[in-house]
Amino acid sequence: MLLTREADLFENSRSRLEAIAYRLLGSAGDAEDAVQETYLRWQAADREYVETPEAWLTKVLTNLCLNQLTSARARRETYVGQWLPEPLLAGDPMLGPADTVEQRESVSIAMLTLMERLTTKERVVYVLREAFGYPHHEIADLLDITESNCQQVYRRAKQHLAVKRARIEVDEAAARRIVEEFLTAAVSGRTDELVRLLTDDAAIIGDGGAFFATLNRPLVGAERIALFVRLAIKPSGAKWDKLGGKPTPFAAIVNGRPALVLVAENRIVGVVVLEVTADGIAAVHAHVNPDKLAHANRQWATYAPGAPLPDLW
């Protein structure tokens, strides 16, 4: 049984641990499981010999995440359709620190998806260094590698994740304007309206899991995306039935980006995250797998989304 002081110490670390685990795993559910397992190990540990609890907890969590990443990649090889990280609404503690551009960028859907290219060690080093400011010597201790090796791993990760375009950061008002403009163009029936908002090399990725058939691979190119979105968003009784009813559209900030949130029967049934650059919308990430929306739906119960967008269907 944990003493009150030791239990409080863990609880004070929980948000940080969940934020690390989410960035490493891309899954809110898996992050919560990893933190819970860390708690159980903390509960069973001989804490008298733990000199620095924060470092001990981070090391245990990191090792658990490394194991989960290995098994998760095997599961994703058999995942139906394309895989995207779970979306998180603004204000979720799991998003972690957001004081710097690097911290905010590290939790975007686009960056979390790119991180899938990294080795497990590269991902850990990048996340701890870029998003949480851990010094190389501490990360090296956590991974049982040398400090110079840690620095090399970090440089490789940075090279793999180099972002060509500067992202535009938005507040709630700007997010609503961008999302409404996107939705208006999407339902207008005129592809040129949507093409105008997209970059020439824009890409769309859809994650419907086994529940909702989406693209088998990313679709690239403004014209192709506009044609696909026009068909995908066209009203249909069968489509609404699949989602649980005609959805009400809302604008929100998800993982730091403008997002269209579709709600039916007080439940999120779809999240479309827009990656916006100075040149236009460079990526569209569409989440309709209900398993991936479970955490967001728990958030939605206490979220204040503002007024719905105009009903354009």
Side-chain angles (χ1 to χ4, degrees):
M1 190 72 177
L2 283 181
L3 299 175
T4 301
R5 183 183 67 82
E6 292 163 331
D8 288 346
L9 188 152
F10 183 88
E11 289 305 320
N12 289 337
S13 299
R14 183 181 290 275
S15 292
R16 178 181 60 84
L17 295 173
E18 287 187 346
I20 292 173
Y22 173 70
R23 281 171 168 82
L24 292 179
L25 302 173
S27 164
D30 288 348
E32 290 170 336
D33 290 344
V35 172
Q36 182 61 23
E37 179 61 27
T38 302
Y39 172 77
L40 294 176
R41 297 193 181 194
W42 174 244
Q43 192 175 39
D46 189 347
R47 294 177 297 279
E48 181 181 350
Y49 297 99
V50 177
E51 294 183 7
T52 311
E54 180 180 303
W56 189 95
L57 292 170
T58 305
K59 187 178 182 71
V60 170
L61 176 79
T62 299
N63 286 331
L64 288 169
C65 288
L66 283 169
N67 292 335
Q68 283 204 40
L69 276 171
T70 301
S71 60
R73 287 183 173 178
R75 292 197 306 271
R76 286 167 198 167
E77 290 179 1
T78 59
Y79 188 80
V80 178
Q82 300 176 97
W83 182 92
L84 283 174
E86 288 185 38
L88 300 182
L89 296 166
D92 191 318
M94 203 175 284
L95 289 169
D99 298 325
T100 67
V101 172
E102 291 76 16
Q103 288 173 333
R104 294 188 290 275
E105 181 67 28
S106 71
V107 80
S108 71
I109 295 294
M111 183 59 73
L112 290 171
T113 304
L114 273 179
M115 282 191 209
E116 292 293 304
R117 302 178 181 178
L118 303 180
T119 66
T120 54
K121 187 177 293 184
E122 286 172 345
R123 188 161 183 168
V124 170
V125 171
Y126 179 82
V127 165
L128 292 179
R129 178 65 179 165
E130 197 80 353
F132 295 90
Y134 277 72
H136 282 293
H137 69 88
E138 288 188 17
I139 302 174
D141 288 342
L142 291 172
L143 294 175
D144 296 320
I145 60 177
T146 65
E147 184 173 350
S148 61
N149 188 7
C150 182
Q151 291 170 337
Q152 291 171 354
V153 172
Y154 177 65
R155 283 195 292 270
R156 286 201 302 269
K158 290 273 285 185
Q159 290 169 357
H160 291 319
L161 298 176
V163 178
K164 295 180 181 178
R165 289 192 181 97
R167 310 302 184 190
I168 292 178
E169 298 189 37
V170 297
D171 57 18
E172 291 184 5
R176 183 179 178 88
R177 175 182 55 76
I178 291 168
V179 171
E180 185 170 351
E181 189 174 13
F182 173 82
L183 181 60
T184 301
V187 302
S188 69
R190 297 178 55 191
T191 55
D192 59 317
E193 292 293 321
L194 194 52
V195 168
R196 181 178 58 83
L197 301 178
L198 300 165
T199 62
D200 291 340
D201 59 349
I204 185 170
I205 300 175
D207 184 343
F211 174 78
F212 211 106
T214 57
L215 296 161
N216 290 325
R217 60 181 61 86
L219 187 64
V220 179
E223 293 278 358
R224 298 173 72 193
I225 291 173
L227 287 169
F228 173 80
V229 169
R230 187 183 70 178
L231 293 174
I233 210 165
K234 187 177 180 179
S236 159
K239 193 181 302 177
W240 293 164
D241 289 343
K242 184 80 170 175
L243 292 174
K246 179 183 174 182
T248 300
F250 290 87
I253 295 178
V254 173
N255 290 71
R257 302 296 189 256
L260 170 65
V261 178
L262 301 175
V263 178
E265 299 296 328
N266 297 315
R267 180 176 59 88
I268 295 176
V269 295
V271 176
V272 181
V273 183
L274 307 176
E275 192 72 21
V276 184
T277 71
D279 300 319
I281 298 172
V284 180
H285 298 110
H287 309 253
V288 288
N289 182 351
D291 293 337
K292 296 285 195 70
L293 299 174
H295 184 86
N297 266 305
R298 292 199 296 274
Q299 280 185 277
W300 190 256
T302 57
Y303 192 71
L309 293 170
D311 186 351
L312 299 173
W313 281 294

